[in-house]
Amino acid sequence: MIGENNKIRVLVVDDSRVVRVAATRMFDDQFEIKLGVDGADGLAILERHPDLHVVFTDLAMPEMDGFELLEAIRSHTDERIREIPVIVATGAGNPESAKQKAFSMGATDFVTKPFNATDIKARARSYAQLREQNRSLKEHATIDELTGLLNLRGLQLQLEKELSFAARHESNLTMIAIEVDHYKDLFVRIGREGTEKVVKRVARVLDDTFRKEDSIARVGLARYVVSMPMALSENAMELANRICHTIETLKAKLDGKRIKITVSIGVSSVQVDSDMDAATLLGVSIEALERASLDGASQIYEMTLEEYREKMEEEAKRGLSIDNLLEQIESGNQLAIASQLDNAIERLGPLLR
């Protein structure tokens, strides 16, 4: 949350140097300001700093105008960018139709040039606080809004219960990780609305396939993890094959043409003991999924706990790859990021200092 010592981070995008300078002077030391000279520059800044609280943008700009910036933000693959408040600056040269168009494309609010310092600071502060409140609510939520499945936090809480049960009864836990193949390419081809439909349809297939005792979660843009208490690995492999075949029957449309949808799947079955934790369970399944994805589309890979631990030991000997970590951050792979973050901070600390 925004406290007394935390500054509100604002991005102002305008091709007029006069406006940028004026905006900088209007915000006091309670704000941290970043400036973009046009839409393309503003989007690049936002992608480097997705933790910004609010964006102010002009409409008429070279390279990428305010409408194109709005579209890029609202269709972005990064949820933090997609949901940032965008306040559009309008002036005498902007007709009412332009304002209506901006609103229909996802503008949060409007301010009129010339700016009033009191008003612009109040808007920034209000929307920044609202953004932080919404983020806090999501962090404490356990249900994914788009699919109605569990989210990552919900799955982690459920896994703690299932681990406790499995340890007491000396039983196993089987995990299945599923991801839509080439999601980024699909997003470019059919857009946010189209890919969200795919994500929801895959979720329905999973809900129809697994047992009521199983816990299904969406843990990434197009990534799912399923926990199957006491399920045998051979049964999980049968389900994985069935899911692959079912998903291949789903089709997305682009310009009247059907686009093939496939998923890759990682399977792991672990005998639970008192030392087992949720992070390890998730790690094995995600690593199995990554291996399946390397083999191509619509592939399945089963990984044992021993194989996973050997791989982790080899990676530890080689040292952390910062490039790999950045790739995981870009792809939204929260599970992989979490497992490497402490090591990354330790290694980067001297450079940051």
Side-chain angles (χ1 to χ4, degrees), residues 80-93:
R80 295 169 299 174
I81 294 175
R82 196 164 63 238
E83 296 186 351
I84 193 168
V86 180
I87 301 175
V88 173
T90 60

Side-chain angles (χ1 to χ4, degrees), residues 46-57:
L46 192 52
E47 289 178 334
R48 291 196 301 271
H49 305 279
D51 58 344
L52 287 164
H53 290 115
V54 62
V55 175
F56 288 87
T57 182

Side-chain angles (χ1 to χ4, degrees), residues 45 59 73 109 114 124 135 151 178 192 243 255 296 309 315:
I45 293 171
L59 286 177
I73 289 174
D109 202 350
R135 181 181 296 178
N151 59 18
I178 305 111
R192 177 185 172 187
I243 291 166
D255 298 331
R309 285 175 171 165
E315 290 188 358

Side-chain angles (χ1 to χ4, degrees), residues 71 75 77 181-196 198 252-262:
E71 182 179 10
S75 62
T77 55
D181 293 316
H182 312 302
Y183 177 81
K184 285 187 178 180
D185 293 339
L186 194 64
F187 187 93
V188 171
R189 297 179 71 183
I190 64 176
R192 177 185 172 187
E193 184 178 352
T195 48
E196 284 188 349
V198 170
K253 285 188 177 181
L254 176 66
D255 298 331
K257 297 180 180 179
R258 291 183 175 271
I259 299 174
K260 186 176 181 180
I261 308 297
T262 62

Side-chain angles (χ1 to χ4, degrees), residues 182-248:
H182 312 302
Y183 177 81
K184 285 187 178 180
D185 293 339
L186 194 64
F187 187 93
V188 171
R189 297 179 71 183
I190 64 176
R192 177 185 172 187
E193 184 178 352
T195 48
E196 284 188 349
K197 287 180 179 178
V198 170
V199 166
K200 289 192 284 187
R201 290 176 71 186
V202 172
R204 285 199 297 271
V205 169
L206 301 183
D207 198 38
D208 291 341
T209 302
F210 289 97
R211 308 171 301 177
K212 297 301 180 184
E213 298 84 359
D214 301 331
S215 301
I216 312 170
R218 179 181 175 226
V219 301
L221 288 172
R223 178 173 289 186
Y224 314 81
V225 173
V226 184
S227 170
M228 304 176 64
M230 296 187 292
L232 299 175
S233 62
E234 50 265 37
N235 293 339
M237 290 295 288
E238 290 177 6
L239 285 176
N241 276 290
R242 188 191 309 169
I243 291 166
C244 280
H245 293 147
T246 303
I247 298 300
E248 286 179 0

Side-chain angles (χ1 to χ4, degrees), residues 82-243:
R82 196 164 63 238
E83 296 186 351
I84 193 168
V86 180
I87 301 175
V88 173
T90 60
N94 298 124
E96 183 64 24
S97 58
K99 189 174 179 179
Q100 290 297 328
K101 179 180 178 182
F103 184 75
S104 68
M105 295 178 69
T108 307
D109 202 350
F110 299 89
V111 292
T112 304
K113 296 180 182 179
F115 302 130
N116 175 286
T118 302
D119 183 45
I120 199 173
K121 286 192 293 184
R123 301 278 185 99
R125 184 175 288 105
S126 296
Y127 282 113
Q129 290 174 346
L130 180 61
R131 176 169 168 80
E132 288 297 294
Q133 288 170 5
N134 289 339
R135 181 181 296 178
S136 178
L137 286 172
K138 285 190 175 183
E139 287 175 353
H140 290 86
T142 58
I143 301 298
D144 175 61
E145 293 180 359
L146 181 63
T147 62
L149 303 176
L150 292 173
N151 59 18
L152 177 57
R153 183 174 183 273
L155 178 64
Q156 289 171 326
L157 292 174
Q158 184 63 26
L159 278 177
E160 295 296 339
K161 299 175 184 178
E162 293 176 357
L163 275 170
S164 178
F165 177 88
R168 287 198 308 271
H169 294 82
E170 298 181 342
S171 62
N172 66 300
L173 260 175
T174 297
M175 306 287 291
I176 297 183
I178 305 111
E179 186 165 50
V180 176
D181 293 316
H182 312 302
Y183 177 81
K184 285 187 178 180
D185 293 339
L186 194 64
F187 187 93
V188 171
R189 297 179 71 183
I190 64 176
R192 177 185 172 187
E193 184 178 352
T195 48
E196 284 188 349
K197 287 180 179 178
V198 170
V199 166
K200 289 192 284 187
R201 290 176 71 186
V202 172
R204 285 199 297 271
V205 169
L206 301 183
D207 198 38
D208 291 341
T209 302
F210 289 97
R211 308 171 301 177
K212 297 301 180 184
E213 298 84 359
D214 301 331
S215 301
I216 312 170
R218 179 181 175 226
V219 301
L221 288 172
R223 178 173 289 186
Y224 314 81
V225 173
V226 184
S227 170
M228 304 176 64
M230 296 187 292
L232 299 175
S233 62
E234 50 265 37
N235 293 339
M237 290 295 288
E238 290 177 6
L239 285 176
N241 276 290
R242 188 191 309 169
I243 291 166

